[in-house]
């Protein structure tokens, strides 16, 4: 089965640039696609200094939906948004004051990859942190999800003037240009050895996916095989168990509700997916979570996206008012989201 490779290199333009992220892309792009992915053939998507987080999310979502192995190479810098102190990957237009709106939330990456089967996804990252983010990561390690293998490093704030080199990713690319991709752990260790002298204070990232006994692996396998009803039934069992044990507003129960919302999307049922995300957002808000909590924003954003995919006008009209009401409370990060719902809903109502 062909593999998929996503090359993402991003850093702000101007004085806020900590690392010359895009400078490593020519070296990575010179590697044969099959070597980048570890498969016979592969599709490669390259994003160099992208401007909009939503555009990156679209490419990431498409890559995560690919059935074969996925390898993601990310080079860039991390900053915290001033509101929630969540790590974000800075993009070309990012400044310290606009992180929340112009950078890519790291939890978006985790969320998009979470339903891929264990062992099918690998991330190689070369990340550089500013002082505030570095202190945050010392207390709360970067979370890239339970099903992805993650290798790389996070570099501390540099004392030199100007952008630093993404030396870890350059070492990975140089090793791969030999035409051979060794086992990922070995490739990671070889790259670290090449930069050992220059980077003694790095946070080294080495995380393997959960074993196949994890129920997420069985669910992902069912999705990959097209057995969507079986996948939802299995997730429903875990959701019911979590509700019984921990309560309907617990993190455990909401996690499985979110899994089922994603499964409906994979099954091509945007009505069920939209309704599920609306319910998740409502439960989170009723439990006292703030309107700008990442999990609340993500639920509303996904409900909005799935609503836009509904082809049946009557069903879209049915769900539109609830989404508009929720969007009024949770405007999210994308400017004009509420206006988009209201405009589309007016069009549906006039057409009906």
């Amino acid at each position: 089965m062909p593999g998929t490779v996503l090359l993402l290199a991003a850093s702000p333009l101007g004085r806020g640039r900590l690392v010359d992220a895009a400078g490593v892309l020519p070296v990575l792009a010179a590697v044969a696609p099959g070597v980048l992915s570890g498969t016979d053939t592969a599709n490669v998507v390259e994003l160099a200094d992208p401007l909009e987080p939503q555009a990156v999310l679209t490419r990431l979502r498409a890559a995560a939906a690919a059935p074969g192995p996925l390898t993601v190479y990310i080079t860039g810098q991390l900053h915290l948004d001033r509101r929630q102190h969540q790590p974000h990957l800075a993009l070309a237009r990012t400044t310290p004051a606009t992180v929340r709106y112009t950078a890519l939330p790291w939890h978006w990456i985790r969320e998009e990859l979470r339903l891929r089967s264990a062992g099918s996804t690998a991330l190689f990252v070369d990340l550089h942190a500013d002082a505030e983010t570095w202190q945050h990561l010392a207390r709360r390690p970067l979370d890239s999800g339970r099903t992805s293998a993650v290798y790389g490093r996070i570099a501390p704030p540099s004392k030199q003037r100007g952008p630093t080199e993404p030396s870890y990713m350059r070492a990975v690319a140089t090793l791969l240009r030999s035409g051979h991709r060794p086992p990922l752990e070995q490739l990671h260790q070889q790259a670290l050895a090449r930069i050992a002298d220059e980077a003694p204070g790095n946070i080294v990232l080495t995380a393997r996916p959960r074993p196949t006994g994890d129920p997420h692996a069985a669910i992902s396998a069912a999705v990959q095989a097209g057995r969507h009803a079986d996948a939802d039934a299995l997730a429903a069992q875990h959701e019911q168990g979590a509700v019984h044990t921990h309560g309907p507003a617990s993190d455990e129960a909401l996690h499985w509700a979110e899994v089922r919302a994603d499964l409906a999307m994979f099954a091509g049922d945007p009505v069920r997916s939209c309704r599920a995300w609306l319910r998740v957002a409502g439960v989170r808000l009723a439990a006292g979570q703030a309107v700008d909590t990442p999990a609340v924003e993500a639920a509303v954003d996904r409900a909005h996206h799935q609503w836009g995919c509904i082809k049946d006008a009557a069903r879209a009209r049915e769900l539109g008012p609830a989404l508009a009401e929720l969007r009024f409370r949770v405007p999210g990060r994308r400017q004009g989201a509420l206006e988009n719902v209201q405009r589309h809903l007016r069009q549906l109502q006039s057409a009906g």
Side-chain angles (χ1 to χ4, degrees):
M1 186 175 293
T4 300
V5 176
L6 179 61
L7 307 178
L8 171 56
S11 53
L13 303 173
R15 293 192 303 173
R17 176 168 289 202
L18 303 178
V19 56
D20 179 22
V24 77
L25 280 179
V27 189
L28 281 168
V31 179
V35 177
L36 285 171
S37 67
T39 57
D40 291 337
T41 60
N43 301 310
V44 179
V45 178
E46 181 178 319
L47 297 176
D49 282 331
L51 301 176
E52 300 291 342
Q54 289 291 338
V56 178
L57 178 62
T58 298
R59 297 295 186 90
L60 176 63
R61 184 167 289 162
L70 170 65
T71 309
V72 182
Y73 297 85
I74 302 177
T75 310
Q77 58 192 69
L78 294 175
H79 297 275
L80 299 179
D81 71 279
R82 292 179 173 178
R83 215 164 173 185
Q84 299 220 322
H85 303 287
Q86 296 284 338
H88 287 58
L89 183 72
L91 303 182
R93 293 176 178 169
T94 300
T95 67
T98 65
V99 168
R100 178 173 168 78
Y101 301 101
T102 62
L104 182 76
W106 190 262
H107 67 264
W108 284 10
I109 298 173
R110 180 192 68 222
E111 290 298 305
E112 292 304 320
L113 301 179
R114 67 178 177 169
L115 282 187
R116 289 185 57 84
S117 59
S120 70
T121 310
L123 276 73
F124 276 88
V125 300
D126 189 342
L127 301 170
H128 298 245
D130 63 6
E132 182 184 16
T133 309
W134 183 255
Q135 294 177 0
H136 173 87
L137 293 174
R139 301 188 303 271
R140 299 183 60 183
L142 199 65
D143 181 5
S144 301
R146 69 181 77 212
T147 61
S148 301
V150 184
Y151 302 97
R153 63 91 178 253
I154 304 174
S158 174
K159 297 179 181 179
Q160 74 177 50
R161 295 175 62 89
T164 60
E165 275 284 307
S167 53
Y168 172 84
M169 193 64 75
R170 187 174 292 277
V172 169
T174 302
L175 289 163
L176 292 176
R177 286 189 68 179
S178 68
H180 169 64
R181 184 168 108 157
L184 300 186
E185 176 71 29
Q186 183 179 336
L187 175 61
H188 171 60
Q189 293 299 333
Q190 289 175 354
L192 288 177
R194 291 197 172 204
I195 66 168
D197 293 339
E198 64 184 79
N202 288 342
I203 296 174
V204 176
L205 303 176
T206 306
R208 297 168 187 81
R210 292 276 185 90
T212 55
D214 187 333
H216 296 81
I219 291 169
S220 297
V223 171
Q224 299 290 344
R227 295 184 287 107
H228 298 287
D230 291 344
D232 183 66
L234 183 55
Q237 290 178 8
H238 287 283
E239 182 185 15
Q240 291 166 6
V243 169
H244 178 73
T245 305
H246 304 286
S250 65
D251 288 342
E252 294 83 358
L254 285 169
H255 167 75
W256 287 110
E258 291 173 345
V259 167
R260 295 189 69 194
D262 275 339
L263 290 174
M265 176 191 67
F266 287 130
D269 189 345
V271 173
R272 182 159 57 93
S273 183
C274 176
R275 186 174 284 118
W277 281 118
L278 289 172
R279 186 178 72 81
V280 168
V283 171
R284 288 190 178 280
L285 289 169
Q289 295 187 20
V291 297
D292 60 354
T293 300
V296 173
E297 288 186 338
V300 180
D301 286 346
R302 286 166 180 251
H304 189 165
H305 177 266
Q306 289 299 292
W307 183 65
C309 296
I310 297 173
K311 298 292 190 284
D312 185 329
R315 306 301 290 276
R317 280 195 298 271
E318 174 192 342
L319 293 172
L323 176 61
E325 181 181 351
L326 200 56
R327 232 346 157 193
F328 182 77
R329 297 178 63 189
V330 187
R333 300 163 185 250
R334 194 171 187 178
Q335 292 184 346
L338 174 60
E339 291 78 5
N340 173 273
V341 174
Q342 293 172 332
R343 182 171 57 253
H344 187 38
L345 186 55
R346 285 195 298 269
Q347 293 169 349
L348 289 166
Q349 291 170 339
S350 63

